[in-house]
């Protein structure tokens, strides 16, 4: 679509919509006019695209043209309040049905906003009259908590809205509860037309095979906490922030309260302005923390999953995924928190410490939501598992170590490819490590004046050696702890021996003259 078609030039106030939002409303109302009264329609639009604006205008138009009522359902208190406020801004008088609501005046309202659990209790107690509800709107429709209420609305048109039409429970696909999907503007289109900021991703290759998958299909909090609270991991999180986002506003997502608290202490000890927020905070504490986060330019807020929905803070510059997830929805929700545009903000930073980019691809990739809606298992089953992801990692020297080898044009050695070539040629697998040792020796000599320099450089290659041994062990399908330990020790001895015996010869081969005496 062109800028004009998307409505980039349109002025937007509380009651004015962009062209793509108007187009979505027209599409949905067309279905409303032609489909059966009890049709279930799902509408997909990225976080930041204005789903609440769209359905608020829909409610306004629906109430104007129909003699029936509207019910909007949310799954969180914050969303309930935000939705009610937005509807009010669109001139729709509404009644919030929460646990404290007095329903004696319910007949005075034609629009209700309710949280799913409260609504379920009120309906089971027969406290709310829904006989005249013609349109039901479900926000964040991918959550399965809503489906238990469908039985109350067998004669109503149900509109579910979500950024990711993938059910939170893989055993209860959305296609079982919705007749069809309408996909809205893509993330890329919204970025191109300056409705969303572009993500700049810094991806860290993480070893996650220790993580366990729970009954909900995602990584367990326990196994995540064990990995992400280790001193090495906490240091990596801090270093990643300092390297890619130092002195910038950041929101950190963790899988577990203990991890978030440990991150808080790590950042605090480093002298950084940081606070921790989880669902045990009181309303007053939460309000104070979010106010501080909004008003402090370089604030860092570490949290669990409490801020994945219903939280908009356009001043966020960096999102740190200090966790792994197998949920595409959660991946999009977390990154989406940084995508709001603001003044000069046209891009934001994502630091991924959970291999999520490797698992799902880039945020804003051209996903076929229609295909995912129709065949969710086909999509999920094709995602790479952790072992496959990690087998494709290319070990890269740290910047500091690479400086020690600055005279070498290339320091990488592809163990996997050399193994493939060797086995194809009928050679023993032992030649793989022999050739690796020769390459390590060569880069040591390239950056040395004498054998003692070379031996000192070889000592620095521990991490690089261990990474090569790990890949080699996987190639030969032999990875017991004792065997790998022996390989590591043996490799180091042979590298040192090779350098002592062959330094002069390799030096002359590189430089065209022997080393100076």
């Amino acid at each position: 679509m062109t800028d004009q078609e998307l409505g980039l030039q349109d002025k937007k106030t509380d009651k004015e919509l962009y062209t793509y939002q108007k187009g979505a409303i027209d599409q949905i109302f067309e279905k409303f006019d032609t489909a059966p009264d009890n049709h279930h329609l799902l509408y997909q639009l990225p976080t930041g695209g204005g789903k609440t604006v769209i359905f608020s205008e829909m409610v306004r138009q629906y109430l104007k043209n129909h003699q029936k009522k509207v019910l909007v359902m949310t799954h969180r208190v914050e969303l309930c309040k935000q939705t009610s406020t937005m509807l009010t801004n669109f001139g729709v008088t509404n009644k919030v049905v929460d646990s404290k609501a007095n329903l004696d005046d319910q007949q005075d309202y034609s629009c209700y906003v309710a949280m799913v659990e409260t609504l379920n209790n009120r309906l089971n107690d027969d406290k709310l009259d829904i006989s005249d509800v013609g349109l039901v709107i479900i926000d964040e429709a991918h959550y399965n908590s809503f489906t238990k209420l469908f039985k109350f609305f067998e004669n109503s048109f149900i509109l579910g809205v979500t950024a990711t039409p993938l059910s939170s429970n893989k055993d209860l696909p959305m296609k079982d509860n919705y007749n069809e999907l309408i996909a809205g503007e893509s993330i890329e289109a919204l970025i191109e037309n300056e409705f969303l900021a572009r993500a700049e991703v810094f991806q860290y290759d993480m070893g996650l095979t220790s993580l366990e998958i729970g009954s909900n299909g995602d990584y367990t909090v326990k196994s995540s906490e064990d990995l992400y609270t280790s001193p090495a991991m906490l240091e990596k999180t801090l270093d990643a922030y300092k390297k890619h986002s130092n002195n910038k506003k950041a929101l950190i997502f963790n899988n577990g309260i203990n991890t978030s608290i440990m991150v808080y202490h790590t950042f605090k000890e480093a002298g950084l302005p940081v606070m921790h927020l989880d669902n045990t905070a009181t309303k007053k504490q939460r309000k104070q923390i979010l106010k501080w986060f909004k008003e402090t330019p370089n604030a860092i807020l570490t949290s669990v999953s409490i801020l994945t929905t219903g939280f908009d803070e356009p001043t966020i510059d960096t999102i740190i995924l200090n966790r792994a997830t197998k949920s595409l929805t959660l991946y999009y929700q977390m990154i989406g928190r940084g995508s709001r545009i603001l003044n000069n903000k046209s891009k934001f930073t994502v630091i991924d410490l959970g291999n999520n980019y490797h698992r799902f691809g880039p945020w804003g990739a051209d996903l076929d939501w229609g295909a995912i809606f129709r065949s969710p298992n086909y999509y999920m089953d094709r995602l790479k598992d952790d072992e496959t992801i990690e087998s494709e990692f290319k070990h890269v020297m740290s910047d500091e170590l690479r400086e020690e080898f600055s005279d070498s044009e290339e320091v990488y050695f592809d163990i996997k490819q050399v193994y493939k070539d060797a086995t194809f040629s009928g050679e023993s697998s032992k030649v793989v490590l022999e050739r690796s040792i020769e390459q390590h020796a060569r880069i040591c000599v390239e950056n040395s004046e004498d054998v003692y320099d070379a031996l000192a450089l070889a000592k620095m290659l521990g991490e690089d050696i261990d990474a090569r041994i790990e890949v080699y062990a996987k190639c030969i399908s032999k990875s017991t702890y004792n065997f790998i330990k022996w390989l590591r020790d043996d490799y180091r001895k042979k590298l040192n021996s090779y350098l002592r015996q062959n330094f002069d010869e390799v030096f002359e081969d590189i430089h065209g003259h022997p080393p100076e005496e």
Side-chain angles (χ1 to χ4, degrees):
M1 281 192 174
T2 65
D3 288 1
Q4 195 57 48
E5 285 173 307
L6 262 179
L8 183 57
Q9 306 304 321
D10 294 359
K11 187 186 173 192
K12 184 170 181 295
T13 66
D14 283 344
K15 296 183 184 178
E16 290 181 283
L17 283 78
Y18 294 121
T19 302
Y20 77 88
Q21 294 172 329
K22 291 174 184 171
I25 291 170
D26 291 343
Q27 262 187 299
I28 294 166
F29 270 125
E30 186 184 340
K31 292 290 179 188
F32 190 87
D33 292 337
T34 57
D37 288 348
N38 60 353
H39 194 63
H40 292 187
L41 177 65
L42 192 60
Y43 175 64
Q44 178 272 332
L45 186 69
T47 300
K51 293 185 294 294
T52 314
V53 168
I54 288 170
F55 70 66
S56 294
E57 173 60 11
M58 278 199 65
V59 173
R60 189 187 71 78
Q61 290 188 30
Y62 178 85
L63 293 175
K64 186 178 171 185
N65 299 311
H66 298 81
Q67 298 303 309
K68 291 206 166 192
K69 295 186 177 185
V70 177
L71 172 69
V72 182
M73 279 194 257
T74 71
H75 75 294
R76 301 235 330 226
V77 175
E78 296 86 7
L79 289 173
C80 207
K81 290 175 181 172
Q82 288 172 20
T83 301
S84 175
T85 301
M86 183 67 80
L87 285 164
T88 301
N89 289 343
F90 274 78
V92 177
T93 306
N94 60 89
K95 172 101 178 158
V96 175
V97 182
D98 57 22
S99 55
K100 299 171 186 172
N102 183 335
L103 298 180
D104 292 345
D105 62 348
Q106 61 181 280
Q107 296 306 321
D108 298 339
Y109 294 87
S110 53
C111 178
Y112 307 115
V113 182
M115 228 177 79
V116 58
E117 297 305 334
T118 307
L119 183 63
N120 188 48
N121 295 336
R122 295 297 179 104
L123 291 176
N124 282 316
D125 294 342
D126 206 21
K127 295 280 178 68
L128 184 67
D129 180 12
I130 54 163
S131 58
D132 214 18
V133 171
L135 174 62
V136 177
I137 296 174
I138 300 174
D139 193 14
E140 304 289 351
H142 52 272
Y143 286 102
N144 273 298
S145 52
F146 295 110
T147 55
K148 60 177 173 272
L149 292 165
F150 280 27
K151 64 179 182 285
F152 293 106
F153 302 99
E154 290 178 350
N155 299 314
S156 301
F157 187 101
I158 294 180
L159 172 67
V161 292
T162 179
T164 49
L166 256 178
S167 172
S168 59
N169 184 334
K170 62 184 189 319
D171 297 325
L172 298 168
M174 300 197 80
K175 63 175 182 172
D176 288 359
N177 289 306
Y178 290 90
N179 303 108
E180 64 177 314
L181 169 79
I182 291 178
E185 296 301 326
S186 67
I187 286 175
E188 184 56 39
L190 293 172
I191 291 170
E192 285 290 330
N193 290 279
E194 300 176 18
F195 292 107
L196 294 180
R198 188 176 295 281
E200 183 181 11
V201 181
F202 295 97
Q203 167 66 54
Y204 282 68
D205 293 343
M206 304 293 296
L208 302 178
T209 46
S210 66
L211 295 184
E212 296 170 2
I213 297 168
S215 56
N216 66 347
D218 209 346
Y219 299 107
T220 64
V221 171
K222 171 71 170 65
S223 65
S224 295
E225 298 256 53
D226 288 345
L227 176 64
Y228 283 89
T229 57
S230 69
M233 191 60 229
L234 290 165
E235 188 180 345
K236 181 173 276 194
T237 308
L238 177 62
D239 288 347
Y241 169 79
K242 285 181 172 179
K243 183 175 181 180
H244 301 295
S245 194
N246 201 30
N247 210 32
K248 291 182 179 177
K249 184 171 293 190
L251 177 60
I252 306 174
F253 288 104
N254 309 277
N255 188 15
I257 292 173
N258 289 336
T259 306
S260 186
I261 291 171
M262 296 277 276
V263 167
Y264 163 77
H265 287 300
T266 302
F267 278 61
K268 187 135 184 98
E269 283 165 19
L272 296 167
V274 62
M275 284 202 180
H276 156 82
L277 179 65
D278 63 53
N279 57 10
T280 63
T282 64
K283 283 182 183 178
K284 187 179 178 183
Q285 287 171 329
R286 177 190 165 103
K287 192 174 180 181
Q288 285 174 339
I289 290 169
L290 292 182
K291 183 175 186 289
W292 168 84
F293 186 58
K294 184 181 187 70
E295 294 173 356
T296 308
N298 58 346
I300 302 162
L301 183 57
T302 177
S303 66
V304 191
S305 58
I306 189 170
L307 300 175
T308 53
T309 57
F311 171 67
D312 290 327
E313 185 46 67
T315 59
I316 292 171
D317 182 83
T318 300
I319 298 292
I320 301 179
L321 307 181
N322 195 41
R323 60 162 297 166
T325 182
K326 283 189 171 287
S327 165
L328 177 71
T329 298
L330 183 57
Y331 175 59
Y332 269 65
Q333 283 176 337
M334 291 188 293
I335 295 180
R337 301 278 75 86
S339 67
R340 306 286 184 178
I341 56 171
L342 175 74
N343 301 332
N344 302 332
K345 177 185 167 185
S346 60
K347 66 176 185 177
F348 65 106
T349 300
V350 176
I351 298 171
D352 182 10
L353 297 166
N355 294 346
N356 301 294
Y357 182 94
H358 290 309
R359 198 172 297 112
F360 301 114
W363 173 79
D366 188 20
L367 292 176
D368 186 341
W369 289 115
I372 291 172
F373 171 70
R374 291 187 299 274
S375 308
N377 289 342
Y378 177 72
Y379 170 77
M380 296 305 292
D381 292 344
R382 288 171 68 217
L383 294 177
K384 294 175 183 175
D385 60 28
D386 291 322
E387 208 164 300
T388 303
I389 289 171
E390 290 173 37
S391 71
E392 295 170 357
F393 287 166
K394 175 180 173 179
H395 179 73
V396 179
M397 280 185 183
S398 67
D399 293 343
E400 295 81 5
L401 183 59
R402 186 67 180 87
E403 281 179 26
E404 300 287 341
F405 293 88
S406 57
D407 289 340
S408 300
E409 194 174 325
E410 180 58 77
V411 295
Y412 179 66
F413 185 83
D414 193 339
I415 290 277
K416 199 184 289 186
Q417 189 57 52
V418 173
Y419 175 79
K420 283 179 184 174
D421 294 342
T423 51
F424 183 76
S425 304
E427 296 177 281
S428 164
S429 62
K430 290 179 183 176
V431 303
V432 177
L433 292 187
E434 288 170 7
R435 286 167 190 163
S436 175
I437 288 168
E438 287 173 12
Q439 187 265 354
H440 262 152
R442 188 172 183 85
I443 65 172
C444 288
V445 175
E446 275 179 332
N447 295 273
S448 303
E449 291 182 8
D450 56 37
V451 67
Y452 302 107
D453 288 346
L455 289 168
L457 284 176
K459 205 169 183 179
M460 296 180 186
L461 289 170
E463 201 174 295
D464 207 57
I465 291 169
D466 291 348
R468 292 187 187 187
I469 295 296
E470 200 170 307
V471 175
Y472 175 73
K474 284 178 180 172
C475 286
I476 63 171
S477 302
K478 194 173 180 184
S479 56
T480 63
Y481 173 79
N482 288 336
F483 177 66
I484 288 177
K485 187 177 183 303
W486 176 80
L487 275 180
R488 287 172 175 171
D489 293 341
D490 188 59
Y491 189 106
R492 285 164 169 79
K493 286 175 190 170
K494 284 179 176 173
L495 174 58
N496 289 340
S497 176
Y498 186 95
L499 283 168
R500 288 193 181 95
Q501 291 173 25
N502 300 287
F503 180 84
D504 289 0
E505 186 184 330
V506 175
F507 188 96
E508 188 167 352
D509 181 55
I510 292 167
H511 299 288
H513 61 81
E516 295 178 10
E517 291 296 330

